Amino acid sequence: MPKYLGISLGEGGRYVGEARKGGYIAVGWDRFRDTRWILELDSGEAKKRLTTLYRQAYPGSNISVGIGAGQVLRFVAEMHQGDVLLIRDSQRRRVHLARVLGDYEYKESWGDACPYPHRRPARRVARPPL
């Protein structure tokens, strides 16, 4: 059974068009490099280590750090092929649907207009997969 997850591609959906054209979803976390190490740890240890690193990179309240670290963990380790994404596009006042097609990938530069280095292949869904 697929999971349904919400995601934003830049402030107000700034990179939605680029991501649709390129067949991916992406997130920034510009203070984090490759986070594939998360996949090598059990979820409890990954969450603990990630929370510490997140607090150093993005200081804030315990709540904001917990939410942020959880988002990283979900994107890297808990999102799977077939999961459905609700992609907020505030600029066009709509929500796009996409299906995750593959695993987490990281590159410092992808050679396109989206600067986000953390990505997963995805494809737009024409109709809601119910």
Side-chain angles (χ1 to χ4, degrees), residues 96-108:
H96 303 276
L97 294 175
R99 189 174 296 276
V100 176
L101 297 178
D103 296 332
Y104 166 76
E105 301 174 64
Y106 174 87
K107 281 188 195 176
E108 285 191 31

Side-chain angles (χ1 to χ4, degrees), residues 50-96:
L50 190 54
T51 300
T52 299
L53 292 172
Y54 197 95
R55 183 178 311 285
Q56 292 168 357
Y58 302 98
S61 71
N62 288 341
I63 292 172
S64 67
V65 168
I67 289 170
Q71 289 172 341
V72 175
L73 186 63
R74 275 188 294 290
F75 190 86
V76 174
E78 296 175 2
M79 191 179 286
H80 298 289
Q81 185 172 348
D83 287 347
V84 177
L85 305 167
L86 291 83
I87 304 168
R88 186 173 44 126
D89 185 349
S90 301
Q91 293 179 344
R92 291 171 195 80
R93 299 176 56 107
R94 63 175 57 158
V95 173
H96 303 276

Side-chain angles (χ1 to χ4, degrees), residues 109-114 119:
S109 175
W110 289 86
D112 59 25
C114 180
R119 298 187 181 189

